[in-house]
């Protein structure tokens, strides 16, 4: 009888644990859904960011996002992506590289892409730290370009992304997310603005 009672209590404990885990995962997804809704404003959004990667230093700049399009500007470079083609202008060399980026390549210049990745192939959990919510994303397939990430939210506002690629961690801090009505043309390279730049087509 004692053994049966023991197993009953064990079953109840496991059931409660699984129920809590499911609720926690749902809460994490709900928080990311709300944060994504802000970034997914129909007309687009603009924000300021700083990015640092262990061993590689860091930079800061601004980013504009509209759907799957983005434009990022830092001291070193400007990047445009219209949903298919990416143009990267390097100020130091006055060169523009044209490419069709992979998921990993898009993430390297637009870490906000990870915000939409949580919907497929990730296990989610959430904790609270200093009044902010921290969502832990773990890829079910560890061969993905981002096998693990931490998303920090204040209310429904995205504050920080910390993601692992290989053994390296990259941290992106976000401020001043503002809804805008952005033209689609701003996500494509305008040759007239860089008439002397060398064009290198890598496609």
């Amino acid at each position: 009888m004692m053994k049966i009672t023991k197993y009953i209590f064990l079953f109840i404990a496991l059931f409660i644990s699984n129920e809590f885990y499911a609720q926690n995962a749902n809460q994490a997804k709900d928080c990311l859904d709300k944060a994504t809704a802000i970034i997914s404003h129909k007309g687009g959004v603009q924000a300021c960011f700083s990015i640092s990667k262990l061993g590689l230093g860091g930079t800061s700049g601004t980013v504009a996002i509209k759907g799957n399009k983005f434009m990022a500007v830092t001291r070193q470079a400007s990047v445009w992506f219209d949903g298919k083609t990416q143009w990267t202008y390097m100020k130091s060399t006055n060169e523009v590289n044209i490419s069709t980026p992979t998921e990993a390549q898009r993430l390297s210049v637009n870490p906000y892409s990870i915000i939409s990745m949580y919907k497929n192939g990730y296990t989610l959990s959430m904790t609270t730290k200093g009044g902010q919510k921290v969502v832990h994303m773990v890829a079910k397939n560890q061969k993905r370009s981002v096998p693990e990430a931490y998303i920090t939210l204040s209310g429904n506002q995205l504050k920080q992304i910390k993601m692992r690629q290989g053994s390296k961690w990259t941290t992106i801090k976000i401020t001043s997310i503002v809804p805008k009505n952005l033209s689609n043309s701003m996500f494509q390279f305008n040759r007239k603005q860089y008439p002397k730049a060398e064009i290198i087509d890598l496609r």
Side-chain angles (χ1 to χ4, degrees):
M1 185 66 181
M2 288 294 292
K3 286 186 177 181
I4 294 175
T5 304
K6 177 182 176 181
Y7 287 130
I8 290 173
F9 279 119
L10 179 60
F11 170 77
I12 292 172
L14 288 171
F15 179 81
I16 292 173
S17 175
N18 288 335
E19 186 72 14
F20 173 79
Y21 176 80
Q23 289 178 353
N24 185 265
N26 288 335
Q27 289 172 349
K29 182 179 181 301
D30 183 59
C31 286
L32 290 181
D33 284 343
K34 290 176 180 177
T36 302
I38 294 173
I39 296 175
S40 302
H41 174 68
K42 186 176 180 180
V45 297
Q46 287 184 327
C48 299
F49 72 92
S50 64
I51 181 169
S52 60
K53 190 168 186 176
L54 187 63
L56 296 177
T59 189
S60 60
T62 59
V63 64
I65 305 168
K66 185 178 181 181
N68 64 343
K69 307 176 186 67
F70 69 86
M71 181 185 73
V73 179
T74 69
R75 294 186 300 273
Q76 298 88 353
S78 296
V79 183
W80 300 261
F81 179 68
D82 66 359
K84 180 181 178 182
T85 303
Q86 180 173 297
W87 297 263
T88 304
Y89 172 68
M90 301 302 298
K91 296 179 181 179
S92 61
T93 59
N94 198 31
E95 293 177 348
V96 178
N97 292 327
I98 306 176
S99 62
T100 304
T102 62
E103 178 184 78
Q105 290 169 335
R106 289 198 305 273
L107 281 166
S108 68
V109 291
N110 179 29
Y112 294 88
S113 298
I114 197 172
I115 290 298
S116 61
M117 290 170 59
Y118 73 92
K119 296 178 181 179
N120 294 297
Y122 283 88
T123 299
L124 306 177
S125 61
M126 186 173 69
T127 57
T128 301
K129 184 177 181 181
Q132 296 183 324
K133 297 170 184 175
V134 181
V135 176
H136 187 199
M137 296 171 50
V138 179
K140 295 176 183 177
N141 178 1
Q142 284 292 296
K143 292 183 179 180
R144 289 195 69 166
S145 55
V146 177
E148 185 179 13
Y150 292 90
I151 311 295
T152 301
L153 306 160
S154 179
N156 297 328
Q157 286 277 358
L158 177 65
K159 290 297 180 182
Q160 180 175 284
I161 300 169
K162 185 177 180 181
M163 61 182 181
R164 178 169 62 85
Q165 292 178 292
S167 60
K168 300 287 186 180
W169 284 91
T170 300
T171 301
I172 306 101
K173 295 183 178 180
I174 303 101
T175 58
S176 307
I177 299 176
V178 181
K180 295 283 186 177
N181 288 311
L182 305 175
S183 168
N184 289 333
S185 62
M186 76 176 293
F187 301 100
Q188 295 179 322
F189 173 71
N190 186 343
R191 181 61 191 267
K192 292 180 180 179
Q193 294 180 358
Y194 304 86
K196 296 182 179 180
E198 180 183 357
I199 306 297
I200 302 173
D201 197 332
L202 303 175
R203 291 172 293 182

